[in-house]
C-alpha cells in the first residue's frame, strides 16, 4: 500500500485552530508517512514564520511526523517551495518509490483549486517531474470547522488580536485555550 507525504503550503501567520485540526488530521492518518508545513519568510501584519511553531505548540503540538520547512528565497509564495521539494532528489530519495506526494487540503474552495492546479501543472508538463516521483490527491479532504458560519482564517485572527476582540479570538483558537494567553512575543 502506498503511503503519502502531505505538503501543506501556507502563511499560518498566525495559525488558527482550523489549521491545527487540518494538520492533526493528516498527522494521525495511518496512510500518511509525514506532513510538511511549508512557509515563506514574509510578514503579515507583524506575524512571521517564527510565530507558527510556538502557536501550534500552544494549541497542543505535533509529533515528529510533522515537519516545518521555511523557504527564505521564495518569490511567489509557499507553493514555490512545494515544487522545489518534489523536484529535489535529496528530499524525495528519503521515501520509498511508492510514495504519493500530495498537497493537504481543507474543504475551502481555494484549497481544492490549489490542489487541482498543482496536479494539472505536472500533467501538462510530464517531463518536469523527476522520474519515479508520484503526485496525487490527498487521501482525504479535511472538513473545516466553521464557527458561527464563519470560515476561520489567519486574517480574522490577526484582526481580532489587533482589536482586542476576545470573542473572535476565542472562535479561532482551541476551546481549551484562553485568548488572553495567546502567544505574542516572537523573536524575528
Amino acid at each position: 500500500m502506498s503511503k503519502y507525504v502531505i505538503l501543506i503550503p501556507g502563511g499560518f501567520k498566525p495559525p488558527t485552530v482550523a489549521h491545527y485540526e487540518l494538520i492533526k488530521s493528516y498527522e494521525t492518518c495511518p496512510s500518511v508517512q509525514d506532513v510538511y508545513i511549508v512557509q515563506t519568510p514574509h510578514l503579515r501584519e507583524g506575524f512571521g514564520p517564527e510565530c507558527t511553531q510556538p502557536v501550534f505548540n500552544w494549541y497542543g503540538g505535533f509529533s515528529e511526523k510533522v515537519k516545518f520547512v521555511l523557504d527564505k528565497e521564495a518569490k511567489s509564495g509557499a507553493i514555490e517551495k512545494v515544487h522545489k521539494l518534489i523536484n529535489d532528489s535529496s528530499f524525495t530519495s528519503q521515501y520509498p518509490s511508492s510514495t504519493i506526494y500530495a498537497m493537504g487540503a481543507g474543504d475551502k474552495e481555494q484549497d481544492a483549486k490549489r490542489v487541482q492546479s498543482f496536479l494539472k501543472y505536472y500533467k501538462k508538463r510530464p517531463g518536469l517531474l523527476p522520474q519515479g516521483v508520484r503526485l496525487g490527491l490527498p487521501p482525504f479532504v479535511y472538513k473545516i470547522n466553521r464557527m458561527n458560519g464563519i470560515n476561520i482564517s489567519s486574517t480574522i485572527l490577526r484582526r481580532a488580536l489587533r482589536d482586542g476582540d476576545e470573542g473572535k479570538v476565542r472562535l479561532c483558537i482551541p476551546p481549551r485555550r484562553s485568548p488572553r494567553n495567546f502567544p505574542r512575543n516572537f523573536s524575528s
Side-chain angles (χ1 to χ4, degrees), residues 121-139:
Y121 179 84
Y122 287 99
K123 188 173 185 174
K124 289 181 179 179
R125 300 163 184 87
L128 288 182
L129 196 61
Q131 188 170 351
V133 173
R134 298 172 56 202
L135 300 181
L137 294 170

Side-chain angles (χ1 to χ4, degrees), residues 98-113:
S98 60
T99 300
I100 298 169
Y101 299 88
M103 284 210 298
D107 63 353
K108 295 189 315 187
E109 186 177 326
Q110 68 189 33
D111 282 9
K113 285 181 183 176

Side-chain angles (χ1 to χ4, degrees), residues 8-13 37-40 44 78-79 114:
I8 305 177
F12 310 104
K13 299 170 187 168
I37 310 308
V38 183
Q39 292 184 280
T40 62
R44 292 196 180 141
I79 190 84
R114 181 169 58 186

Side-chain angles (χ1 to χ4, degrees), residues 94-166:
Q94 61 187 317
Y95 297 103
S97 60
S98 60
T99 300
I100 298 169
Y101 299 88
M103 284 210 298
D107 63 353
K108 295 189 315 187
E109 186 177 326
Q110 68 189 33
D111 282 9
K113 285 181 183 176
R114 181 169 58 186
V115 169
Q116 288 302 326
S117 174
F118 179 73
L119 293 173
K120 283 180 189 175
Y121 179 84
Y122 287 99
K123 188 173 185 174
K124 289 181 179 179
R125 300 163 184 87
L128 288 182
L129 196 61
Q131 188 170 351
V133 173
R134 298 172 56 202
L135 300 181
L137 294 170
F140 58 89
V141 172
Y142 178 73
K143 182 154 178 55
I144 301 289
N145 285 330
R146 289 162 178 80
M147 299 296 186
N148 297 338
I150 298 171
N151 281 334
I152 298 169
S153 71
S154 293
T155 302
I156 290 171
L157 180 53
R158 282 193 307 271
R159 285 183 191 148
L161 288 166
R162 180 190 63 217
D163 298 343
D165 185 339
E166 286 190 18

Side-chain angles (χ1 to χ4, degrees), residues 65-77:
K65 189 175 178 177
V66 177
K67 299 157 184 5
F68 292 82
V69 176
L70 177 64
D71 185 358
K72 294 180 180 177
E73 292 136 24
K75 305 278 187 268
S76 60

Side-chain angles (χ1 to χ4, degrees), residues 5 43 73 104 112 132 142 184 186:
V5 168
L43 288 175
E73 292 136 24
Y142 178 73
R184 295 174 195 264
F186 308 105

